Amino acid sequence: FHQYTCEENRVEVSSKKDALKARYTEVEEEILKDKIRKVEETADRCKNKEGWNLINDITGRTKSCCGLVEGGSSAERLKNWKQHFSGLLGQAPVVPDATIPIRDIHPPLDIDTNPFTLEELRLAKKQIAEGKAYGDDGISPEVLKRVDI
């Protein structure tokens, strides 16, 4: 068109551009339909991660920079974290008169602080669930349940 600028060439180039744009749109729609079909297949196969990856690809969503705190130095990042959480959590409550008695909401519990009895030990051993993680003492629940003390 630029070499032979005439009305016929301009119309021909314009129609070719329109045809190219229409074909491009068709191809994009085919690709989108294929991705949607793949999302449906992943849902049928319970492949949630794969499905969400496809959905994010279709919508153009990308991973955000979660947890990155802006600041040029360590002290500046620390100050920004403090401001962030102060805004989230608010300020400590203001107590106008500290001498005002605070009443108990729940009645005191009758907790026995004496050494436990053998019956209490047997009852506790029955309630231990097997196949769980070790406790802080490093002893497996199965050992605690089966050992007689």
Side-chain angles (χ1 to χ4, degrees):
F1 172 72
H2 295 292
Q3 290 177 351
Y4 306 105
T5 55
C6 67
E7 187 62 25
E8 290 177 14
N9 286 345
R10 189 191 65 74
V11 171
E12 186 178 348
V13 168
S14 179
S15 67
K16 298 285 183 184
K17 282 183 178 180
D18 291 342
L20 180 62
K21 187 175 180 179
R23 181 63 183 135
Y24 184 75
T25 303
E26 287 176 22
V27 170
E28 279 186 326
E29 287 176 359
E30 288 174 13
I31 291 171
L32 182 60
K33 286 177 185 176
D34 184 52
K35 286 181 180 179
I36 291 171
R37 183 186 50 75
K38 286 180 181 176
V39 169
E40 291 170 348
E41 288 175 2
T42 58
D44 291 341
R45 293 182 290 131
C46 296
K47 299 288 184 182
N48 295 331
K49 183 179 185 315
E50 188 179 335
W52 279 110
N53 287 340
L54 286 166
I55 290 170
N56 289 337
D57 184 39
I58 291 169
T59 59
R61 284 184 20 179
T62 57
K63 290 183 179 180
S64 62
C65 300
C66 295
L68 297 180
V69 180
E70 294 181 8
S73 67
S74 176
E76 192 175 342
R77 285 191 297 274
L78 187 61
K79 184 183 95 176
N80 289 341
W81 267 110
K82 182 178 180 199
Q83 287 176 345
H84 172 74
F85 283 105
S86 293
L88 282 178
L89 304 174
Q91 303 300 321
V94 178
V95 179
D97 186 6
T99 60
I100 298 173
I102 300 173
R103 65 179 180 86
D104 290 332
I105 295 175
H106 301 287
L109 299 175
D110 184 29
I111 299 175
D112 187 9
T113 57
N114 297 323
F116 55 87
T117 64
L118 284 175
E119 187 55 37
E120 291 172 327
L121 176 64
R122 286 188 192 102
L123 180 64
K125 284 173 71 172
K126 285 181 183 178
Q127 295 175 353
I128 293 176
E130 295 186 25
K132 299 292 181 180
Y134 286 33
D136 292 337
D137 55 8
I139 301 172
S140 72
E142 291 82 4
V143 171
L144 290 174
K145 192 167 188 173
R146 290 188 176 86
V147 171
D148 285 329
I149 297 177

